Amino acid sequence: MWKKIKQFLFIVLVLNVVFVVWGRFFNPPITITQIGGLFEYGKLKRDYISYDEMGNNVKRAVIASEDQKFFIHNGFDYTAIEKAMEHNEKGKKIRGGSTISQQTAKNIFLWQGRSWFRKGLEAVYTFIIEKAWGKDVILERYLNSIEMGQGVFGVEAAAEYYFGKQSKDLTTSEAAWIATVLPNPKKYDPKNPSAYLRKKHNWIMRQMRNVSLK
């Protein structure tokens, strides 16, 4: 029995190593979140593109919205995590402290949810991809796989869906509108923005001025 368990664990380890190495050079064939979106909405809009094809506006907009320390942290923003924990202890609404690296690890390798087991795996994968992939690859995988609407994944598909153009051609304002849907793309719609979304859009526009891509 113990021998079979060790064989199983070894196979799992090997498959994970292969998947991580694969991810260094290729986008994922499909993710668990994408499968969920396909079943929920009956569609899967995505178009994987390279880092250089994305254009800088959408990169800056998403970094401004989600993780302004992306290029300087080691995968974890401990200040943001501490603030999130303090907020969640006081309030009812849960606030996350996940970096883009953590979200990439979750989106590519894992599933959505808030269990401690999944968060533990997320931390392991985050550490690995920070070492094995580097920032540009992590950001490319994130921007290609992130859910950005109901059945819409990645910035290229989002640019086509919301504005009928390629992501590299997005204006600063359009890129900021796409970033406003994060982290709740199933709820928010740039085509019909609420007062909250308009306020967030203006905030992202201001923050984009301070974002460097290195």
Side-chain angles (χ1 to χ4, degrees):
M1 180 65 178
W2 176 238
K3 183 178 180 180
K4 290 183 178 180
I5 293 175
K6 289 195 293 184
Q7 290 175 339
F8 173 75
L9 293 176
F10 177 75
I11 292 173
V12 170
L13 177 61
V14 171
L15 290 176
N16 273 274
V17 170
V18 170
F19 199 9
V20 169
V21 173
W22 167 277
R24 173 66 178 81
F25 301 99
F26 304 101
N27 287 287
I30 197 166
T31 68
I32 294 176
T33 305
Q34 290 173 356
I35 293 173
L38 178 60
F39 276 99
E40 186 172 357
Y41 301 108
K43 64 179 181 180
L44 176 56
K45 292 184 178 294
R46 68 175 192 183
D47 188 4
Y48 290 154
I49 57 175
S50 70
Y51 184 82
D52 293 334
E53 291 176 300
M54 293 173 176
N56 290 335
N57 280 339
V58 74
K59 295 173 189 173
R60 287 201 300 267
V62 172
I63 290 173
S65 175
E66 293 295 288
D67 183 5
Q68 294 186 24
K69 296 180 181 179
F70 173 69
F71 282 106
I72 61 175
H73 63 55
N74 64 353
F76 306 92
D77 185 344
Y78 299 104
T79 301
I81 293 172
E82 183 178 352
K83 288 182 178 179
M85 292 177 66
E86 292 175 355
H87 173 84
N88 297 339
E89 288 177 357
K90 296 178 181 178
K92 296 180 180 179
K93 186 176 180 180
I94 297 177
R95 176 186 293 175
S98 295
T99 63
I100 284 176
S101 301
Q102 289 175 273
Q103 293 181 55
T104 303
K106 175 183 67 178
N107 292 336
I108 301 298
F109 299 102
L110 303 169
W111 59 93
Q112 304 299 318
R114 294 186 177 276
S115 70
W116 287 108
F117 176 68
R118 189 198 61 74
K119 292 295 290 185
L121 291 176
E122 177 187 296
V124 172
Y125 279 115
T126 298
F127 176 81
I128 292 172
I129 63 176
E130 276 280 334
K131 300 297 184 182
W133 290 5
K135 295 294 187 179
D136 286 358
V137 174
I138 291 173
L139 188 57
E140 179 184 321
R141 298 293 175 266
Y142 176 78
L143 293 175
N144 271 326
S145 64
I146 188 69
E147 189 172 17
M148 309 210 74
Q150 297 181 356
V152 180
F153 293 85
V155 294
E156 186 73 357
E160 172 62 32
Y161 181 71
Y162 293 118
F163 298 107
K165 59 173 63 176
Q166 294 178 299
S167 60
K168 65 181 180 63
D169 297 324
L170 291 170
T171 66
T172 301
S173 178
E174 290 168 343
W177 275 121
I178 285 180
T180 60
V181 304
L182 303 171
N184 199 341
K186 294 180 180 180
K187 176 182 178 181
Y188 300 137
D189 183 2
K191 293 181 178 180
N192 186 28
S194 62
Y196 165 77
L197 221 58
R198 292 182 185 279
K199 182 178 180 180
K200 184 178 179 181
H201 174 264
N202 291 333
W203 179 83
I204 292 173
M205 289 275 286
R206 293 194 300 271
Q207 296 302 311
M208 286 174 69
R209 302 169 190 162
N210 304 318
V211 171
S212 171
L213 295 179
K214 287 296 179 183

